[in-house]
Amino acid sequence: QVQLVESGGGLVQPGESLRLSCAASGSIFSIIAMGWYRQASGKQRELVASITNGGITTYADSVKGRFTISRDNAKNTVYLQMNSLKPEDTAVYYCNAHILRTITPTWGQGTQVTVSS
């Protein structure tokens, strides 16, 4: 079993930065890809960024050039560096992991990011 714990959210003003962390534990070698999703109040959850075990990254158009996803395999942690934050980035951010031979992905508990002037 894989468990995910997100951290690093908070309240910032537009233009500021945050770095989110997602620490994985359990059967970590069963993880084939990880990603960050976000869900604003009253809206659907959407993919923000993802990274495969091979290092291939994908970004939503809305965050390209501002957000960077990275990983530290030694620490079993995936990061989301968020720069030039905008009010529309306000959401609960969830870490996600796809597990080998498992159809349903694993989700973390979420961390709140609020961008407000």
Side-chain angles (χ1 to χ4, degrees):
Q1 189 67 42
V2 174
Q3 295 82 41
L4 305 174
V5 179
E6 303 100 327
S7 62
L11 173 63
V12 297
Q13 295 184 343
E16 295 183 342
S17 299
L18 282 173
R19 189 179 75 159
L20 306 182
S21 299
C22 175
S25 61
S27 302
I28 58 174
F29 291 104
S30 297
I31 299 174
I32 59 176
M34 296 184 68
W36 287 96
Y37 289 70
R38 66 186 181 188
Q39 186 167 23
S41 181
K43 296 187 177 181
Q44 290 186 293
R45 188 173 299 185
E46 63 175 350
L47 175 68
V48 177
S50 65
I51 186 167
T52 70
N53 284 351
I56 300 173
T57 58
T58 301
Y59 296 94
D61 288 341
S62 59
V63 306
K64 286 182 178 178
R66 299 189 298 121
F67 291 10
T68 302
I69 188 170
S70 62
R71 65 182 183 181
D72 186 338
N73 288 334
K75 297 181 179 180
N76 301 319
T77 300
V78 171
Y79 304 95
L80 184 67
Q81 178 66 45
M82 305 185 294
N83 298 328
S84 301
L85 283 162
K86 304 175 181 179
E88 54 260 43
D89 295 319
T90 296
V92 177
Y93 284 70
Y94 296 91
C95 185
N96 165 277
H98 289 275
I99 311 301
L100 182 66
R101 302 187 184 95
T102 302
I103 296 175
T104 304
T106 298
W107 295 89
Q109 83 287 350
T111 184
Q112 176 71 46
V113 172
T114 302
V115 185
S116 177
S117 60

